[in-house]
Amino acid sequence: MKKVVILISGRGSNMQAILEAKLPCSIAAVISNRADAGGLAIAKTYGIPTEVIEHRDYPDRDSFDNALANIIESYQPDLVVLAGFMRILTTRFVTHYLGRLINIHPSLLPSYSGLNTHGRALEDGVRIHGCTVHFVTPKLDNGPIIIQAAVPVLRDDDEKTLADRVLREEHRIYAQAIRWICQNQIELSEKGKVIFHYRKQCGYSLVSPSLD
Ligand code: GRF
């Protein structure tokens, strides 16, 4: 059974969804770069070991990432899952974990990489928004895409309603992506493409606003 380490910075709702999904893996630890991350208490209620490594205690990104990698390595994980981990990781760190490091991003990448994705989507008036799970590569929010979920942007949406709708999908697709990886159904090829070993596909389209 594969071992997974989850990195968080905040409330940890994606982490909780992963824990609740009863995936075929062992969650070895939850690590936060903030002592006040709400997700730490949630992880403890599931009996998952937790660690805190405050980025503020380190003079630069390299030294923080080295210390973070040392903690991660003490759990010998097969997969490292960024679940609302709000630190940009160094190229050295990302390269070390290439193919074993995944992230969830609240937009349909490659649109809206970076922060404030929901506000920017509303500002642009897009009708369809969503979320993406991808392998992490040195370029921010740019790695090979594993799975995406699209949601409609509704007439009266504000950032909160839109974020809530996207978050519900994040909770579904992140667990699915981890399940696939843990069951060896997908992998990252040497050329940087996601190879799928499962066959099910969905041909439905989402039209927003609806056609009628
Ligand atoms: C999520 O929207 C995730 O996509 C983004 O940060 C948020 C974290 O939320 N990277 P949570 O901590 O998982 O509740």
Side-chain angles (χ1 to χ4, degrees), residues 101-174:
L101 179 64
I102 61 173
N103 181 45
I104 187 147
H105 183 76
S107 77
L108 288 172
L109 290 173
S111 294
Y112 306 117
S113 62
L115 297 172
N116 187 27
T117 58
H118 309 308
R120 287 189 284 147
L122 287 171
E123 180 66 27
D124 286 347
V126 298
R127 302 299 188 196
I128 294 174
H129 186 44
C131 48
T132 303
V133 178
H134 64 96
F135 285 103
V136 178
T137 54
K139 194 168 169 198
L140 186 71
D141 297 331
N142 192 66
I145 291 171
I146 300 168
I147 184 170
Q148 297 183 300
V151 300
V153 180
L154 302 181
R155 194 169 39 230
D156 296 328
D157 268 339
D158 55 26
E159 282 191 43
K160 165 133 187 25
T161 57
L162 183 55
D164 288 347
R165 191 173 308 117
V166 172
L167 190 66
R168 276 195 295 278
E169 299 307 315
E170 292 185 36
H171 295 166
R172 298 171 64 209
I173 67 170
Y174 216 0

Side-chain angles (χ1 to χ4, degrees), residues 93-101 135-138 144 188 190:
F93 181 100
V94 170
T95 304
H96 177 74
Y97 287 105
L98 210 59
R100 299 185 290 141
L101 179 64
F135 285 103
V136 178
T137 54
L188 186 59
E190 280 180 13

Side-chain angles (χ1 to χ4, degrees), residues 1-210:
M1 191 179 270
K2 287 194 198 275
K3 278 165 85 175
V4 174
V5 163
I6 304 177
L7 270 51
I8 63 168
S9 298
R11 71 189 157 179
S13 73
N14 275 290
M15 174 210 73
Q16 185 168 9
I18 292 163
L19 297 179
E20 281 174 4
K22 301 205 181 342
L23 297 170
C25 61
S26 122
I27 309 293
V30 169
I31 303 172
S32 173
N33 66 315
R34 298 180 57 118
D36 61 356
L40 288 169
I42 299 170
K44 283 180 190 145
T45 67
Y46 285 81
I48 309 291
T50 60
E51 306 255 9
V52 174
I53 172 166
E54 292 267 11
H55 61 270
R56 290 191 207 92
D57 294 344
Y58 294 83
D60 50 42
R61 283 190 194 278
D62 267 327
S63 55
F64 171 73
D65 281 9
N66 283 341
L68 176 62
N70 283 338
I71 297 180
I72 293 171
E73 284 314 302
S74 71
Y75 292 97
Q76 293 286 297
D78 301 287
L79 180 68
V80 177
V81 170
L82 306 180
F85 185 70
M86 302 304 284
R87 294 289 298 168
I88 293 175
L89 295 160
T90 54
T91 296
R92 191 152 167 252
F93 181 100
V94 170
T95 304
H96 177 74
Y97 287 105
L98 210 59
R100 299 185 290 141
L101 179 64
I102 61 173
N103 181 45
I104 187 147
H105 183 76
S107 77
L108 288 172
L109 290 173
S111 294
Y112 306 117
S113 62
L115 297 172
N116 187 27
T117 58
H118 309 308
R120 287 189 284 147
L122 287 171
E123 180 66 27
D124 286 347
V126 298
R127 302 299 188 196
I128 294 174
H129 186 44
C131 48
T132 303
V133 178
H134 64 96
F135 285 103
V136 178
T137 54
K139 194 168 169 198
L140 186 71
D141 297 331
N142 192 66
I145 291 171
I146 300 168
I147 184 170
Q148 297 183 300
V151 300
V153 180
L154 302 181
R155 194 169 39 230
D156 296 328
D157 268 339
D158 55 26
E159 282 191 43
K160 165 133 187 25
T161 57
L162 183 55
D164 288 347
R165 191 173 308 117
V166 172
L167 190 66
R168 276 195 295 278
E169 299 307 315
E170 292 185 36
H171 295 166
R172 298 171 64 209
I173 67 170
Y174 216 0
Q176 181 61 273
I178 295 167
R179 181 176 290 110
W180 283 333
I181 292 171
C182 290
Q183 293 174 336
N184 295 315
Q185 297 201 52
I186 59 171
E187 61 187 274
L188 186 59
S189 77
E190 280 180 13
K191 289 183 176 164
K193 297 274 179 244
V194 175
I195 302 172
F196 293 80
H197 300 302
Y198 64 90
R199 276 168 299 183
K200 209 164 145 191
Q201 292 193 88
C202 162
Y204 297 127
S205 58
L206 169 63
V207 179
S208 170
S210 64

